[in-house]
Amino acid sequence: MQSAVQRSALPSSPKSPGGSVGQTLLDLERRWVKINLAGDGLPANLFDNLFGAAIPVRVGAIRPALPDESQFLDDLDPLSGIDDASKEEIEHALALASVVEEIAVYDVGQGGTNGLVTGREVVCYFDFGGGVASNTATFPNNLLRFCQCNMPPIILSHWDHDHWSSEGRDTRVHAQTWIVPRQTSHGSKRAPHHSALIRAIQAKGTILIWPSNLYSKRIGQLEVSLCRGSSKNASRLALTVFPPAELSAMPVLLPADAGYDDLRNCLGSGAYDAIVCPHHGGHSNSPKIPSPPLGQHQRLIYSYGPNNTYHHPLSVTYTDHDKARWLDKRVTAPPASYIVRNTADRVVPPDLGHVGFDWTTSTSLTGLGCASGSNLDVQQK
């Protein structure tokens, strides 16, 4: 959902917020809305950019945009003039030259950035986000540079700001190849800030739209799947990373914000050595949680920012995962062997909480040999 904020008077009979501005916007999820600011309205925060401070405002009325307004905004979709990529283009972009040895879930505050690592360098990113707007302060101060040694492609799961916004922190990624989902105009609204990102990529790099008829594709160790849900969180791309061929191990599942039941190829219990918990541990379509396999090295990883405004991870989420044997120190008492890791658990120094998983029981931590001096060394395994 995006919002068109107007300071002018609204047409007659606007819909007034019922109880709170936030609840009204949730009730109008996935629709363009028009917001009227009024001095005697309900308190709210307005953000005029992704990283700036909140501007206190008062909202007098919120209503769905009129049909002609909605059509005008839909017509501004910056992907509307770009054809789907071919299968060959996708294969070429994701044909990694070396074996993926490790999956890293980076501490970017309230958001998602994951790196596929080989030879102590990132060779592909799955999402490139971080804390923004009311959660900007959750982004760690000591994460100043990302690894761009190999000009790694970036697979974007979906268009929520917290999954792509770190392009504004490291604009070198505009020159890389981005593989993105189109998503429908009804399920995902793209606004001028999305246009700015897409045009920046077009000017310096390459943008490939995942083919709408390509439900799943295995390319080497990577399997990218088109989720089968209809919402913005559940209608885009998920990633499964398989271990190197010489290892007898299970894959790693990165569903981003989709729930397990939104995934086209969710393999079920005992099928994953590691999972990045859906939606930062928030609400998701996940009534059936895959349990870890027995007797192997497993991890459940939560990517979220400390003191975030969504209160992620939710207690019901980590409690249910603990019941499914992803043992969590927030739930199960010692002497349990905990297999949950949280990016918000920052190590002092360097005040970062990057988590690495490499299919082994080794406790040695990966330090990137990055020529660009990135701040992506793993602090937790």
Side-chain angles (χ1 to χ4, degrees):
M1 176 187 65
Q2 307 296 336
S3 302
V5 179
Q6 304 290 330
R7 295 183 181 272
S8 57
L10 289 178
S12 60
S13 302
K15 175 175 178 167
S16 298
S20 73
V21 172
Q23 185 57 53
T24 300
L25 292 175
L26 286 174
D27 292 343
L28 294 169
E29 186 72 41
R30 299 168 57 197
R31 303 173 67 178
W32 289 110
V33 300
K34 198 167 188 178
I35 300 174
N36 184 46
L37 303 183
D40 58 351
L42 293 176
N45 287 327
L46 171 66
F47 293 89
D48 59 3
N49 70 78
L50 293 180
F51 307 115
I55 303 170
V57 297
R58 287 189 171 270
V59 174
I62 301 174
R63 66 157 174 80
L66 298 174
D68 60 335
E69 295 169 331
S70 294
Q71 187 61 56
F72 172 77
L73 291 167
D74 281 341
D75 290 343
L76 295 178
D77 185 348
L79 295 185
S80 61
I82 307 176
D83 292 334
D84 284 359
S86 67
K87 294 179 182 179
E88 291 74 19
E89 288 175 311
I90 297 292
E91 290 173 349
H92 178 73
L94 294 181
L96 305 181
S98 51
V99 173
V100 175
E101 301 167 340
E102 180 178 19
I103 292 88
V105 182
Y106 294 122
D107 172 16
V108 291
Q110 184 60 26
T113 295
N114 310 279
L116 310 185
V117 178
T118 186
R120 300 175 62 209
E121 294 178 346
V122 176
V123 294
C124 182
Y125 284 105
F126 180 64
D127 285 336
F128 199 76
V132 295
S134 58
N135 286 299
T136 299
T138 67
F139 192 89
N141 293 329
N142 288 344
L143 178 46
L144 304 176
R145 289 177 71 82
F146 293 84
C147 177
Q148 306 294 356
C149 296
N150 295 282
M151 297 287 286
I154 298 169
I155 304 169
L156 180 65
S157 64
H158 67 302
W159 291 96
D160 270 349
H161 309 126
D162 60 324
H163 288 258
W164 58 263
S165 57
S166 282
E167 58 83 27
R169 298 177 168 105
D170 192 337
T171 58
R172 294 176 297 168
V173 296
H174 294 161
Q176 290 156 217
T177 297
W178 288 63
I179 298 168
V180 306
R182 185 180 297 278
Q183 301 189 286
T184 64
S185 60
H186 297 293
S188 179
K189 305 298 186 186
R190 278 177 287 270
H193 48 288
H194 295 105
S195 299
L197 167 63
I198 291 166
R199 287 169 183 156
I201 297 170
Q202 288 177 308
K204 295 183 178 181
T206 302
I207 189 162
L208 300 176
I209 301 177
W210 186 266
S212 58
N213 61 350
L214 185 59
Y215 297 123
S216 186
K217 182 66 178 175
R218 174 80 180 264
I219 305 169
Q221 291 173 255
L222 311 186
E223 182 176 64
V224 183
S225 300
L226 193 64
C227 298
R228 58 188 180 185
S230 59
S231 70
K232 178 168 58 174
N233 285 346
S235 64
R236 46 42 167 165
L237 303 178
L239 177 65
T240 302
V241 183
F242 290 83
E246 67 273 13
L247 295 181
S248 177
M250 303 297 185
V252 175
L253 176 65
L254 297 92
D257 284 358
Y260 300 119
D261 278 22
D262 297 318
L263 304 178
R264 196 171 298 274
N265 297 327
C266 190
L267 299 177
S269 290
Y272 300 104
D273 273 335
I275 296 175
V276 180
C277 191
H279 200 194
H280 318 284
H283 293 296
S284 65
N285 183 22
S286 300
K288 297 179 181 179
I289 297 173
S291 298
L294 296 175
Q296 298 186 39
H297 174 53
Q298 308 96 28
R299 289 290 181 265
L300 176 70
I301 304 167
Y302 290 88
S303 175
Y304 65 96
N307 303 313
N308 66 84
T309 61
Y310 303 110
H311 307 293
H312 291 166
L314 304 179
S315 60
V316 65
T317 301
Y318 60 71
T319 298
D320 285 350
H321 279 78
D322 181 89
K323 290 177 181 177
R325 301 203 308 272
W326 300 98
L327 298 183
D328 192 322
K329 64 182 178 182
R330 288 169 289 209
V331 182
T332 298
S337 179
Y338 301 120
I339 61 176
V340 167
R341 298 291 182 268
N342 306 276
T343 60
D345 294 339
R346 293 173 176 168
V347 176
V348 181
D351 297 317
L352 292 168
H354 306 321
V355 181
F357 180 84
D358 62 6
W359 291 285
T360 77
T361 57
S362 168
T363 58
S364 60
L365 303 177
T366 303
L368 294 190
C370 187
S372 59
S374 68
N375 308 108
L376 299 183
D377 290 356
V378 164
Q379 283 83 47
Q380 306 180 67
K381 278 192 66 178

